[in-house]
Amino acid sequence: MHALSSDPKAISFFAKELSWLSFNERVLQEAKDKNNPIIERIRFLGIFSNNLDEFFRVRVADVKRRILLSNLPDAHFEENEALLNQIQKKVLSLGKKFNHIHKQIFNDLNAHNIHVKQPEALSDFHKQWLRDYFNDQVLQHLSPILLTENRDYSDLINDTMTYLFVEMRNDNDKHHHALLELPTDRLDRFVILPPEKTRRQKTLMLLDDVVRYHLREVFSNFLSFDHIEGYEIKLTRDAEYNLDDELEEGLLDKMSKGLKQRLYAEPVRLTYDEAMPDSIMKVMKKRLGVTHQDALIPGGSYRNFRDFIAFPNVGRGYLENKPLPPLKSSAFDKHDSAFKAISEQDILLYYPYHTFNHMLEYVRQAAFDPKVTQIKINIYRVASRSQLIASLINAAKNGKKVTVMVELKARFDEQNNIEWAKMLSEYGIKVMVGLPALKVHSKLCVIHRKEKGQIVKYAHIGTGNFHEKTARIYTDFSLFTKHPDICNECDDVFKFIETSYRPFTFKHLMISPLNAREKIYSLIDQEVKNVREGKVARITVKVNNLVDKELIEKLYSAAMEGVKIRMIIRGMCALVPGLAGFSDNIRVISIVDRFLEHPRVMVFENDGNPQVYISSADWMTRNLDHRVEVGVPIYDESLKQLIIDTLELQFRDRVKARLIDSEQKNNYVNRGNKKKIRSQIAIYDHIKKWESSRT
């Protein structure tokens, strides 16, 4: 954050990178919280670790690039150097908290008859079993890289994997060094040992320890040594890659080449076992080409906790969250056809409270419905075994005209989307790969259907991806509508993607980069006008990230005019709330719980007639100006009220809501004498009652 000053306008913004680390600290709070089931606490350690990997690959890498380009005008070298130091300091602080929480959780597991053991602590029975398991299952997957002098081996490291940096030495002080990749992509990270005495007691080991315990067997047939040690390391690279616009090749080939560049990109972080002796660390740094700008992060003996997201529950059911069975939409359920249901009324689904099967059924029925002539859809991220993709292929087989916009630049899903694009093309589906300068992040599906001799359009507009798996853990809204103007405008979005040089006018939809920013500003201005006229004026916003400085300044101005602003920001929040005379009309909370909060919602009071929008766009410059995003107004009064009700429940959360303040303390919202409401559970119950009242 900019340094504090007596002038509140001089402290307008938090640094987005530090704000993001504050968000990840909220994830760590969930791992620490003993009110959470213990297996869920372990999984939060995995989420924290996975988040941090991406943070370094994307955000820290960006800061490093800005430092390396410090010879350019307006490079702000000193500012970026200071920011990198602040990031390093915060990451080290979070790392210490992480290690303490990790040890505490593993100790707490013992009380539930689950023991994560070191090989040295095993009985003779289990040691023999482990030796057989290693020889039969593990050894075949180990391929050491022997290190020699005067070479940088960092380009051989896959930054999604964990390695052992191995030193072998003789008593005469002759040394050998090697890198050994842990085969966690081929074997389970968590090895469940067979019961020895009682089936109640469960014993687990990490694959890391299995390999480390048998290191001597890996090398002894080929090298002579008296002592061997192995310490875990993990290298993280810059996730950016360059596409040469002058290459005479298709975008698919360019993307494939760009992804290969990522394998050899600059390292931005090296995490290592803090027990590693200085003498070995010196060799490691030299062999991996680590510079002073790379973040050297010490930690415990394990690296890459990402796999802990899938930590198995080998104990009782109560050790993880009780499932919340997805609810059926009464509007869809009382009709045998999705199109009859949507013809009767607009339908809103809220995942994962509602089942995603309604969306899958909408596309499945369209694939063979004789009246359907055309399907258009955006794909940003989809499941690895996607039923939706299968339905699109079936639609093509049934002679439907199918157009799929595949976003090849969806970060970390690029390779998957390249493969989907190729497969869909093979079935005769028209595949669009977007605009060179704009990612297509909208969540649209438009279906053309011939009814009474006329083409009638149906549209889906959502806040989340068409992904069966994430729809079970991300909260997102989906609107299904037959509204002619909205459906025509959704159709025009596809035309804009294909022919962006043509002029398009959107009266209902918020479209980035065409009108979204102006529309949001206009809605804010209306609230300012209302407050000046003595009317109630309020803005309620829920987004993942708020970092666009121009938009934040607009909110500051509205707040200083007297507009009451409430916000639910899951992740980065560059806005500084609660500053007297400046932003004290702005209240921001963040909710981290069992589901990932993902919707983007805007509610403008509009003098008692609220205007409600759902959108695919976060309030970031990239989403407003450099991506294709779609926001839609909710016109049905009952659906509008449902969205408002869910937001109100979140503002009343006194279990999982954190207050975002000017010091980023991450304090839980003070309960006071208020009812103990956990909003995600309360929302599930509310929607369940709402659906039953409509049957």
Side-chain angles (χ1 to χ4, degrees):
M1 194 182 84
H2 291 301
L4 288 173
S5 136
S6 57
D7 177 7
K9 293 184 180 180
I11 49 170
S12 302
F13 309 104
F14 286 121
K16 63 183 181 181
E17 295 84 1
L18 298 177
S19 177
W20 187 95
L21 287 172
S22 184
F23 152 67
N24 212 29
E25 187 170 20
R26 297 192 282 278
V27 175
L28 199 55
Q29 286 177 329
E30 290 300 300
K32 183 180 179 181
D33 187 353
K34 292 195 174 185
N35 292 315
N36 289 328
I38 194 163
I39 299 299
E40 303 297 346
R41 292 172 61 197
I42 296 173
R43 292 169 182 167
F44 273 112
L45 291 178
I47 295 169
F48 173 91
S49 179
N50 188 57
N51 288 348
L52 203 58
D53 283 354
E54 185 169 335
F55 174 72
F56 272 91
R57 296 178 78 185
V58 178
R59 306 211 174 276
V60 176
D62 180 59
V63 175
K64 279 194 64 182
R65 282 196 302 276
R66 298 202 300 262
I67 292 171
L68 293 171
L69 296 173
S70 58
N71 60 324
L72 298 179
D74 301 319
H76 305 292
F77 175 80
E78 291 183 0
E79 184 179 329
N80 287 313
E81 276 270 302
L83 176 58
L84 192 60
N85 289 334
Q86 287 177 292
I87 290 170
Q88 175 90 332
K89 184 178 178 181
K90 184 65 175 179
V91 167
L92 289 172
S93 172
L94 290 177
K96 289 179 181 178
K97 290 182 181 179
F98 180 96
N99 292 335
H100 176 77
I101 293 168
H102 161 236
K103 290 175 183 175
Q104 185 61 56
I105 291 174
F106 273 32
N107 285 336
D108 293 347
L109 275 175
N110 296 333
H112 300 285
N113 290 310
I114 299 173
H115 304 276
V116 181
K117 289 191 174 182
Q118 293 293 318
E120 295 81 4
L122 295 177
S123 66
D124 290 341
F125 168 79
H126 275 149
K127 283 181 179 177
Q128 182 57 51
W129 182 89
L130 197 66
R131 190 173 298 111
D132 293 339
Y133 174 78
F134 175 80
N135 288 324
D136 296 341
Q137 304 294 329
V138 180
L139 185 58
Q140 60 189 299
H141 297 290
L142 300 180
S143 301
I145 300 171
L146 297 178
L147 309 183
T148 59
E149 295 283 346
N150 303 320
R151 183 181 168 186
D152 180 349
Y153 286 86
S154 61
D155 61 346
L156 301 181
I157 288 185
N158 181 336
D159 75 347
T160 66
M161 303 298 288
T162 307
Y163 292 79
L164 289 176
F165 192 88
V166 181
E167 179 174 275
M168 295 156 277
R169 65 181 185 277
N170 293 319
D171 289 335
N172 63 7
D173 209 31
K174 184 179 180 182
H175 293 71
H176 302 284
H177 294 94
L179 280 171
L180 183 60
E181 183 180 281
L182 296 175
T184 51
D185 57 338
R186 286 150 283 165
L187 297 171
D188 286 338
R189 181 88 181 271
F190 308 103
V191 180
I192 302 171
L193 279 65
E196 182 178 8
K197 297 176 182 177
T198 169
R199 292 188 176 273
R200 279 193 65 198
Q201 183 166 307
K202 310 293 184 181
T203 304
L204 289 82
M205 280 190 63
L206 268 73
L207 181 64
D208 319 37
D209 293 321
V210 176
V211 174
R212 194 160 23 217
Y213 188 62
H214 296 92
L215 267 183
R216 187 170 290 273
E217 286 93 315
V218 177
F219 295 95
S220 59
N221 289 335
F222 309 97
L223 297 168
S224 175
F225 53 87
D226 299 306
H227 309 280
I228 185 167
E229 301 171 76
Y231 300 92
E232 280 194 33
I233 64 168
K234 186 175 187 300
L235 193 71
T236 307
R237 300 181 187 282
D238 186 338
E240 281 298 323
Y241 49 88
N242 298 312
L243 300 179
D244 186 346
D245 291 332
E246 297 180 2
L247 289 176
E248 294 292 331
E249 55 189 330
L251 185 55
L252 283 176
D253 293 328
K254 288 184 185 180
M255 288 297 301
S256 297
K257 186 170 289 187
L259 290 174
K260 290 175 184 176
Q261 289 179 22
R262 183 180 285 168
L263 295 175
Y264 308 111
E266 283 292 311
V268 291
R269 177 184 62 159
L270 179 64
T271 59
Y272 62 94
D273 185 345
E274 60 190 357
M276 182 185 291
D278 290 343
S279 59
I280 298 180
M281 187 187 299
K282 184 177 179 180
V283 176
M284 176 194 70
K285 288 170 66 176
K286 188 175 181 181
R287 297 290 175 269
L288 299 182
V290 176
T291 72
H292 73 282
Q293 287 177 331
D294 299 317
L296 283 164
I297 310 293
S301 57
Y302 303 122
R303 310 272 44 83
N304 200 7
F305 275 81
R306 179 182 60 191
D307 297 329
F308 280 59
I309 295 173
F311 193 90
N313 182 14
V314 296
R316 302 291 181 89
Y318 67 83
L319 299 182
E320 56 188 336
N321 284 326
K322 183 180 178 182
L324 295 175
L327 303 169
K328 291 185 177 181
S329 162
S330 56
F332 274 123
D333 228 25
K334 62 187 177 185
H335 293 281
D336 55 6
S337 158
F339 304 105
K340 288 180 183 177
I342 301 167
S343 295
E344 185 175 292
Q345 65 189 107
D346 285 358
I347 300 173
L348 185 76
L349 301 182
Y350 194 8
Y351 313 122
Y353 311 109
H354 282 113
T355 176
F356 191 69
N357 287 344
H358 292 305
M359 175 63 208
L360 297 176
E361 186 65 9
Y362 169 68
V363 180
R364 190 191 74 84
Q365 290 181 16
F368 63 86
D369 183 340
K371 294 182 179 180
V372 169
T373 60
Q374 188 171 176
I375 302 172
K376 299 180 182 180
I377 193 168
N378 297 139
I379 287 178
Y380 195 77
R381 303 188 199 279
V382 294
S384 55
R385 296 181 180 180
S386 174
Q387 291 176 244
L388 185 136
I389 294 286
S391 291
L392 295 174
I393 292 171
N394 191 44
K397 291 177 179 178
N398 277 313
K400 317 293 183 190
K401 183 179 178 182
V402 181
T403 301
V404 182
M405 164 57 229
V406 182
E407 181 47 74
L408 299 183
K409 298 188 290 291
R411 183 175 278 131
F412 306 129
D413 269 334
E414 298 98 337
Q415 190 61 53
N416 291 338
N417 288 359
I418 288 171
E419 297 305 319
W420 286 127
K422 290 177 179 177
M423 178 190 293
L424 292 167
S425 296
E426 288 171 1
Y427 284 96
I429 291 171
K430 180 180 179 180
V431 175
M432 298 192 298
V433 292
L435 301 161
L438 299 173
K439 276 189 182 181
V440 179
H441 191 247
S442 53
K443 322 296 180 184
L444 296 183
C445 179
V446 179
I447 292 172
H448 293 202
R449 196 168 184 264
K450 199 165 187 178
E451 299 175 4
K452 298 179 181 179
Q454 301 291 320
I455 292 296
V456 176
K457 297 175 185 177
Y458 296 79
H460 165 281
I461 309 101
T463 68
N465 298 307
F466 299 114
H467 195 305
E468 291 102 303
K469 184 176 179 181
T470 60
R472 296 196 294 269
I473 53 178
Y474 287 22
T475 66
D476 272 305
F477 284 111
S478 278
L479 176 71
F480 298 82
T481 185
K482 196 181 178 181
H483 189 291
D485 293 340
I486 288 178
C487 290
N488 284 332
E489 288 190 10
C490 288
D491 224 14
D492 282 347
V493 174
F494 286 93
K495 294 174 186 174
F496 166 68
I497 293 168
E498 192 168 15
T499 56
S500 57
Y501 53 84
R502 290 174 51 193
F504 293 91
T505 301
F506 296 94
K507 294 182 179 179
H508 298 270
L509 300 183
M510 277 186 189
I511 307 295
S512 298
L514 301 181
N515 71 352
R517 186 181 287 277
E518 291 74 18
K519 203 149 193 170
I520 292 169
Y521 287 0
S522 175
L523 290 162
I524 294 172
D525 288 341
Q526 184 60 50
E527 294 303 311
V528 171
K529 181 175 181 289
N530 287 345
V531 81
R532 287 174 177 171
E533 294 173 358
K535 300 172 183 177
V536 175
R538 184 165 66 177
I539 299 169
T540 302
V541 175
K542 179 177 182 181
V543 290
N544 297 327
N545 301 298
L546 170 60
V547 297
D548 182 80
K549 291 187 176 181
E550 191 177 306
L551 185 48
I552 291 171
E553 288 173 347
K554 192 81 174 173
L555 293 170
Y556 284 153
S557 295
M560 285 189 283
E561 291 276 1
V563 178
K564 300 292 184 183
I565 300 173
R566 302 181 304 166
M567 313 188 85
I568 305 169
I569 313 292
R570 187 196 79 218
M572 294 184 293
C573 180
L575 179 148
V576 185
L579 296 174
F582 182 58
S583 60
D584 45 358
N585 275 328
I586 304 177
R587 181 172 182 260
V588 184
I589 64 169
S590 181
I591 294 171
V592 178
D593 199 353
R594 62 189 291 178
F595 303 132
L596 182 82
E597 293 292 339
H598 195 252
R600 294 85 169 188
V601 184
M602 293 159 274
V603 181
F604 299 88
E605 183 64 26
N606 193 36
D607 192 25
N609 181 25
Q611 294 173 284
V612 179
Y613 289 81
I614 62 171
S615 174
S616 63
D618 276 319
W619 282 12
M620 304 175 71
T621 306
R622 70 178 191 190
N623 299 84
L624 297 172
D625 300 335
H626 306 299
R627 289 187 175 188
V628 177
E629 306 270 12
V630 176
V632 62
I634 306 297
Y635 291 141
D636 183 287
E637 291 299 325
S638 63
L639 302 185
K640 189 188 292 187
Q641 190 59 50
L642 179 61
I643 291 173
I644 291 171
D645 288 346
T646 62
L647 293 173
E648 292 302 324
L649 285 170
Q650 294 201 302
F651 283 112
R652 290 164 56 196
D653 192 307
R654 294 297 182 270
V655 179
K656 296 297 184 181
R658 280 74 154 180
L659 189 66
I660 306 302
D661 60 16
S662 59
E663 298 178 39
Q664 294 188 323
K665 290 181 179 177
N666 277 334
N667 290 331
Y668 286 85
V669 173
N670 189 1
R671 180 181 168 191
N673 59 2
K674 299 286 181 67
K675 185 179 178 183
K676 190 176 181 180
I677 292 176
R678 183 175 177 181
S679 58
Q680 290 189 349
I681 305 302
I683 288 170
Y684 178 84
D685 293 338
H686 182 76
I687 292 175
K688 190 174 184 179
K689 289 178 184 176
W690 187 82
E691 289 292 0
S692 64
S693 71
R694 294 164 68 87
T695 54

Coordinates of all heavy atoms in Angstrom, one line a residue, residues 615-640:
S615 N -22.6 -10.7 -13.9 CA -21.6 -10.5 -14.9 C -20.5 -11.5 -14.8 O -20.3 -12.1 -13.7 CB -21.1 -9.1 -14.8 OG -20.0 -8.9 -15.7
S616 N -19.8 -11.7 -15.9 CA -18.6 -12.6 -15.9 C -17.4 -11.8 -15.5 O -16.3 -12.3 -15.4 CB -18.4 -13.2 -17.3 OG -18.2 -12.2 -18.3
A617 N -17.5 -10.4 -15.4 CA -16.3 -9.5 -15.3 C -16.1 -9.1 -13.8 O -16.9 -8.6 -13.1 CB -16.6 -8.3 -16.1
D618 N -14.8 -9.3 -13.4 CA -14.3 -8.7 -12.2 C -14.1 -7.2 -12.5 O -14.0 -6.8 -13.7 CB -13.0 -9.3 -11.7 CG -13.3 -10.6 -10.9 OD1 -14.3 -10.5 -10.1 OD2 -12.6 -11.6 -11.1
W619 N -13.9 -6.4 -11.4 CA -13.7 -5.0 -11.6 C -12.1 -4.8 -11.6 O -11.5 -4.2 -10.7 CB -14.3 -4.2 -10.5 CG -15.8 -4.0 -10.8 CD1 -16.5 -4.7 -11.7 CD2 -16.7 -3.2 -10.1 NE1 -17.8 -4.3 -11.7 CE2 -18.0 -3.4 -10.7 CE3 -16.6 -2.3 -9.1 CZ2 -19.1 -2.7 -10.3 CZ3 -17.8 -1.6 -8.7 CH2 -19.0 -1.8 -9.3
M620 N -11.6 -5.3 -12.7 CA -10.1 -5.1 -13.0 C -10.0 -4.5 -14.4 O -10.9 -4.7 -15.2 CB -9.4 -6.5 -13.0 CG -9.6 -7.2 -11.7 SD -8.9 -8.9 -11.8 CE -7.1 -8.5 -11.8
T621 N -8.9 -3.8 -14.6 CA -8.7 -3.1 -15.9 C -8.8 -4.1 -17.0 O -9.4 -3.9 -18.1 CB -7.4 -2.3 -15.9 OG1 -7.4 -1.5 -14.8 CG2 -7.2 -1.6 -17.2
R622 N -8.2 -5.3 -16.8 CA -8.1 -6.3 -17.9 C -9.5 -6.7 -18.2 O -9.8 -7.0 -19.4 CB -7.3 -7.5 -17.4 CG -7.9 -8.3 -16.3 CD -7.1 -9.5 -15.9 NE -7.9 -10.4 -15.1 CZ -7.5 -11.4 -14.4 NH1 -6.2 -11.7 -14.5 NH2 -8.2 -12.2 -13.7
N623 N -10.4 -6.9 -17.2 CA -11.8 -7.4 -17.5 C -12.7 -6.3 -18.1 O -13.6 -6.7 -18.9 CB -12.4 -7.9 -16.2 CG -11.6 -9.0 -15.6 OD1 -10.7 -8.8 -14.8 ND2 -12.0 -10.2 -15.8
L624 N -12.4 -5.1 -17.8 CA -13.3 -4.0 -18.3 C -12.8 -3.5 -19.7 O -13.7 -3.1 -20.5 CB -13.3 -2.8 -17.4 CG -13.9 -3.1 -16.0 CD1 -13.7 -1.9 -15.1 CD2 -15.4 -3.5 -16.1
D625 N -11.5 -3.6 -20.0 CA -11.0 -3.0 -21.2 C -10.3 -4.0 -22.1 O -10.1 -3.6 -23.3 CB -9.9 -1.9 -20.8 CG -10.6 -0.8 -20.0 OD1 -11.8 -0.6 -20.1 OD2 -9.8 -0.1 -19.2
H626 N -9.9 -5.2 -21.7 CA -9.1 -6.0 -22.5 C -9.6 -7.5 -22.6 O -8.9 -8.4 -23.0 CB -7.7 -6.1 -21.9 CG -7.0 -4.7 -21.8 ND1 -6.8 -3.9 -22.8 CD2 -6.6 -4.1 -20.7 CE1 -6.3 -2.7 -22.4 NE2 -6.2 -2.8 -21.1
R627 N -10.9 -7.6 -22.3 CA -11.5 -9.0 -22.4 C -12.9 -8.8 -22.9 O -13.5 -7.7 -22.8 CB -11.6 -9.7 -21.1 CG -10.3 -10.2 -20.6 CD -10.5 -11.1 -19.3 NE -9.2 -11.7 -18.9 CZ -9.1 -12.6 -17.9 NH1 -10.2 -13.0 -17.3 NH2 -8.0 -13.1 -17.5
V628 N -13.5 -9.8 -23.5 CA -14.9 -9.8 -23.9 C -15.6 -10.4 -22.7 O -15.4 -11.6 -22.3 CB -15.2 -10.7 -25.1 CG1 -16.7 -10.7 -25.4 CG2 -14.4 -10.1 -26.3
E629 N -16.4 -9.6 -22.0 CA -17.2 -10.0 -20.8 C -18.6 -9.6 -21.0 O -18.9 -8.6 -21.7 CB -16.6 -9.3 -19.6 CG -15.1 -9.5 -19.3 CD -14.8 -10.7 -18.4 OE1 -15.7 -11.5 -18.3 OE2 -13.7 -10.8 -18.0
V630 N -19.5 -10.3 -20.4 CA -20.9 -10.0 -20.5 C -21.6 -9.9 -19.2 O -21.5 -10.9 -18.4 CB -21.7 -11.1 -21.4 CG1 -23.2 -10.8 -21.5 CG2 -21.1 -11.1 -22.8
G631 N -22.3 -8.8 -18.9 CA -23.2 -8.7 -17.8 C -24.6 -8.5 -18.3 O -24.9 -8.0 -19.3
V632 N -25.6 -9.0 -17.5 CA -27.0 -9.0 -17.9 C -27.8 -8.5 -16.8 O -27.6 -8.8 -15.6 CB -27.4 -10.4 -18.3 CG1 -27.4 -11.4 -17.2 CG2 -28.8 -10.4 -18.9
P633 N -28.8 -7.6 -17.1 CA -29.8 -7.2 -16.1 C -30.8 -8.3 -15.7 O -31.1 -9.1 -16.6 CB -30.4 -6.0 -16.7 CG -30.4 -6.3 -18.2 CD -29.1 -7.0 -18.4
I634 N -31.2 -8.3 -14.5 CA -32.2 -9.3 -14.1 C -33.5 -8.5 -14.0 O -33.7 -7.6 -13.3 CB -31.9 -9.9 -12.7 CG1 -30.5 -10.5 -12.7 CG2 -32.9 -10.9 -12.3 CD1 -30.3 -11.7 -13.6
Y635 N -34.4 -8.9 -14.9 CA -35.7 -8.2 -15.0 C -36.8 -8.9 -14.2 O -37.7 -8.2 -13.8 CB -36.1 -8.1 -16.5 CG -35.2 -7.2 -17.3 CD1 -34.9 -7.5 -18.6 CD2 -34.8 -6.0 -16.7 CE1 -34.1 -6.6 -19.3 CE2 -34.0 -5.1 -17.5 CZ -33.6 -5.4 -18.8 OH -32.8 -4.6 -19.5
D636 N -36.8 -10.1 -14.0 CA -37.8 -10.8 -13.3 C -37.7 -10.4 -11.8 O -36.6 -10.6 -11.2 CB -37.6 -12.4 -13.4 CG -38.7 -13.2 -12.7 OD1 -38.7 -13.2 -11.5 OD2 -39.6 -13.7 -13.4
E637 N -38.8 -9.9 -11.2 CA -38.7 -9.4 -9.9 C -38.4 -10.4 -8.8 O -37.7 -10.1 -7.8 CB -40.1 -8.7 -9.5 CG -40.3 -7.4 -10.3 CD -39.2 -6.3 -10.0 OE1 -38.8 -6.2 -8.9 OE2 -38.9 -5.6 -11.0
S638 N -38.9 -11.6 -9.0 CA -38.7 -12.7 -8.0 C -37.2 -13.1 -8.0 O -36.6 -13.4 -7.0 CB -39.6 -13.9 -8.2 OG -39.3 -14.5 -9.5
L639 N -36.6 -13.2 -9.2 CA -35.2 -13.5 -9.3 C -34.3 -12.4 -8.8 O -33.3 -12.7 -8.1 CB -34.8 -13.9 -10.8 CG -35.6 -15.0 -11.4 CD1 -35.1 -15.3 -12.8 CD2 -35.7 -16.2 -10.6
K640 N -34.7 -11.2 -9.1 CA -34.0 -10.0 -8.6 C -34.0 -10.1 -7.0 O -32.9 -9.9 -6.4 CB -34.7 -8.8 -9.0 CG -33.9 -7.5 -8.7 CD -34.8 -6.3 -9.1 CE -35.0 -6.1 -10.6 NZ -35.7 -4.8 -10.9

